[in-house]
Amino acid sequence: MGDELERRVRNLHEAPFDLDSVKGTAMKIRTKRRAAVAGGLLAAAAVVVPIAVIDPAQTPSQTATDPVVDPVDPEDPPAAGPALGFTYIEMGSGNAVLHLDDGSRIELPGPDYTGAAVLGDQVAAFRSTEDGQGAVDLVEDQAVTTTYEVRPPVAIAPDGRTIALITDDDELLVLNGEAGEQSFGAVDPDAVLAAFIGNGDCSLETGCHPFLEYGDLEREPFEVNYEGPDTRPVPGALRLNDAADGFLVTAQVSSSDIGSCGGLYDREGGGAVVFETCDSQVLDISPTGDFVAGTDPYGDGLGPTYFSILDRTGDEVARYEVERGFVYVDLAWSDDTHVVASVYQDAQWRVVSLGVDGASEVVLGPVDGTEMLNPFQVTGGYTG
């Protein structure tokens, strides 16, 4: 967690914070090893306008004939690649391959995974299911040992080492390689995960902050924290897009036929406005909190035609425009000043990095493909 968050909590509590004392029966810590698991790249950067933008959880199975990933012998793990600073799943004709931000690679036990997280020696991999829901497989030595039936999205912590998920029977779980499985009990069947921050140790207040929201754009998103299990981080918000250390969140506060409005808000200040804008969707927060990623405030078609970077005043400092294509909204920060996104252009997929100085470069691809089959599923996981 960030220094500011630790300072805030130390001022509030002289001893390590026990969530049981705050939530009572709302949370029961359990360390059973049913699965220290779960994965997914659907987390924090949900699309602001809920119309016709591709959701990674609903991406069809890869069926392209041109291979993106060569089959790998389990006895011969994939060689490390360049350290790009973000995590992604590469999909092709063989098994999906998880590329970590340090360049190391792990082959998964099937082709249909669209997101994953590494929890110690275990890999938690997310896949969509035919019923429109999802499953999280706990993988060890390329074999599935446990499966969770979940209702997506799931949320991954900024350091990539903790996952929050809601099971198909409405139980909110936090899973961490060291702390194991920890339960917040049942949640509203209409609530879904929006974000998660913390180090995964839910016995400490600083360790677990799940954020949830509703899809009806009527009820406010809420956070489980020391102030209670349903604290509103931004009173009056319709949707929460991202949360970060330093008490920052991005949220949507209004919606109309011509777009949406939202901004960057300070949770420590009770939802105080850092900036608001109707000129951009305000999405992923940079690791330092100095910038946020943005895109078109009106969602239509397969996806927006640009992504951008805004500063803390809401001014746009950089933009990447896509011609004859669209942006697959799975943005991630690769370091303090660069955001990456999958882009489909001229019948090819690539991952583009955009800096706050306006410079851009293709860091993955291009790979031939169709609009619905993105071979580069960016999952985030900045660990710098």
Side-chain angles (χ1 to χ4, degrees):
M1 299 292 287
D3 293 340
E4 182 180 358
L5 182 54
E6 295 290 354
R7 173 191 57 77
R8 167 69 167 168
V9 173
R10 283 196 299 269
N11 290 341
L12 288 170
H13 312 291
E14 295 179 359
F17 203 88
D18 184 349
L19 278 183
D20 288 341
S21 67
V22 174
K23 304 182 186 69
T25 60
M27 176 175 182
K28 180 181 178 183
I29 301 295
R30 298 184 304 188
T31 58
K32 63 181 181 182
R33 199 171 174 273
R34 184 176 69 188
V37 66
L41 60 152
L42 298 173
V47 177
V48 172
V49 181
I51 49 177
V53 179
I54 291 177
D55 187 335
Q58 299 172 345
T59 304
S61 300
Q62 176 74 20
T63 58
T65 56
D66 293 333
V68 177
V69 180
D70 294 329
V72 178
D73 186 336
E75 301 299 323
D76 185 19
L84 297 177
F86 62 95
T87 302
Y88 68 98
I89 295 281
E90 188 174 19
M91 303 173 67
S93 60
N95 287 345
V97 174
L98 172 64
H99 296 251
L100 302 181
D101 56 0
D102 63 0
S104 58
R105 306 195 297 170
I106 302 171
E107 185 184 6
L108 299 174
D112 298 329
Y113 295 103
T114 55
V118 177
L119 308 179
D121 294 331
Q122 304 166 329
V123 176
F126 175 86
R127 54 184 169 83
S128 297
T129 54
E130 293 182 356
D131 60 0
Q133 297 301 301
V136 169
D137 292 331
L138 179 60
V139 178
E140 293 188 46
D141 298 325
Q142 208 180 340
V144 176
T145 61
T146 306
T147 296
Y148 280 103
E149 301 297 331
V150 303
R151 50 184 179 90
V154 297
I156 185 170
D159 67 2
R161 298 183 177 93
T162 304
I163 296 290
L165 64 92
I166 299 174
T167 66
D168 60 355
D169 58 358
D170 302 323
E171 185 179 10
L172 172 58
L173 299 177
V174 173
L175 306 129
N176 175 268
E178 295 183 1
E181 178 190 295
Q182 302 150 98
S183 175
F184 281 78
V187 297
D188 188 327
D190 295 330
V192 296
L193 280 162
F196 179 91
I197 56 175
N199 65 9
D201 182 357
C202 295
S203 67
L204 301 178
E205 194 281 327
T206 56
C208 277
H209 282 270
F211 296 79
L212 295 92
E213 64 183 9
Y214 297 95
D216 55 17
L217 297 183
E218 294 179 358
R219 290 169 285 181
E220 297 173 356
F222 61 95
E223 171 191 0
V224 179
N225 68 6
Y226 58 87
E227 295 176 347
D230 60 352
T231 301
R232 269 53 181 173
V234 184
L238 304 179
R239 173 168 287 177
L240 190 139
N241 297 324
D242 193 20
D245 296 348
F247 296 96
L248 295 173
V249 294
T250 55
Q252 176 188 352
V253 297
S254 69
S255 179
S256 71
D257 292 339
I258 59 173
S260 63
C261 300
L264 181 66
Y265 303 89
D266 181 359
R267 287 167 38 236
E268 190 176 32
V273 175
V274 179
F275 76 81
E276 288 185 334
T277 180
C278 297
D279 295 329
S280 178
Q281 293 185 43
V282 185
L283 302 176
D284 292 58
I285 304 166
S286 73
T288 62
D290 293 326
F291 302 96
V292 293
T295 191
D296 196 319
Y298 180 75
D300 193 12
L302 291 172
T305 59
Y306 73 89
F307 67 102
S308 60
I309 298 175
L310 313 178
D311 64 18
R312 284 180 66 104
T313 69
D315 289 336
E316 185 177 286
V317 298
R319 175 185 288 211
Y320 183 86
E321 296 273 1
V322 182
E323 298 181 0
R324 300 176 300 279
F326 62 92
V327 177
Y328 190 96
V329 185
D330 57 352
L331 306 175
W333 287 88
S334 60
D335 59 30
D336 295 343
T337 57
H338 291 83
V339 66
V340 298
S342 296
V343 171
Y344 185 74
Q345 183 172 344
D346 295 327
Q348 293 181 319
W349 285 97
R350 67 207 73 198
V351 174
V352 175
S353 173
L354 175 67
V356 298
D357 60 357
S360 64
E361 65 173 324
V362 175
V363 294
L364 290 172
V367 171
D368 293 341
T370 65
E371 295 95 331
M372 300 302 293
L373 300 174
N374 178 9
F376 302 121
Q377 302 278 342
V378 175
T379 68
Y382 173 81
T383 58

